[in-house]
Amino acid sequence: MSVDEHEITLVATDGYRIQPVPVESFIINPGERYDFEMEASKEVNNYWFRFKTLEIGVDHIAEAIIRYKGASNEEP
């Protein structure tokens, strides 16, 4: 899981608080849960929020757009 041009801070795993860890991306295994924080303080624009499987031979990708108020309606 990653967000283009944004740092993510992991704050909990499987419902338990952890020492905050700043990361560019992180891996989630089946059944795991992570809580994270992200500061939305970048340039007003659109940014990809990406999920990609690491499974060999499979290329599952899920994407969403984080759209800052005032940004265009175009894809990043």
Side-chain angles (χ1 to χ4, degrees):
M1 200 287 312
S2 66
V3 180
D4 287 358
E5 300 181 41
H6 288 75
E7 185 175 89
I8 301 160
T9 302
L10 299 177
V11 296
T13 179
D14 291 327
Y16 295 97
R17 299 288 294 175
I18 60 172
Q19 182 70 30
V21 179
V23 297
E24 289 182 9
S25 64
F26 60 96
I27 297 171
I28 303 172
N29 290 303
E32 283 187 310
R33 295 175 298 158
Y34 281 96
D35 294 350
F36 66 90
E37 297 174 350
M38 181 190 79
E39 188 172 326
S41 62
K42 296 293 182 182
E43 176 184 336
V44 172
N45 206 344
N46 300 310
Y47 300 90
W48 285 114
F49 194 115
R50 302 174 189 272
F51 299 86
K52 183 176 180 180
T53 184
L54 297 178
E55 187 176 358
I56 296 171
V58 180
D59 196 23
H60 293 142
I61 298 173
E63 297 175 318
I65 297 173
I66 294 178
R67 181 169 284 126
Y68 281 41
K69 186 176 181 175
S72 71
N73 287 329
E74 296 181 18
E75 290 186 1

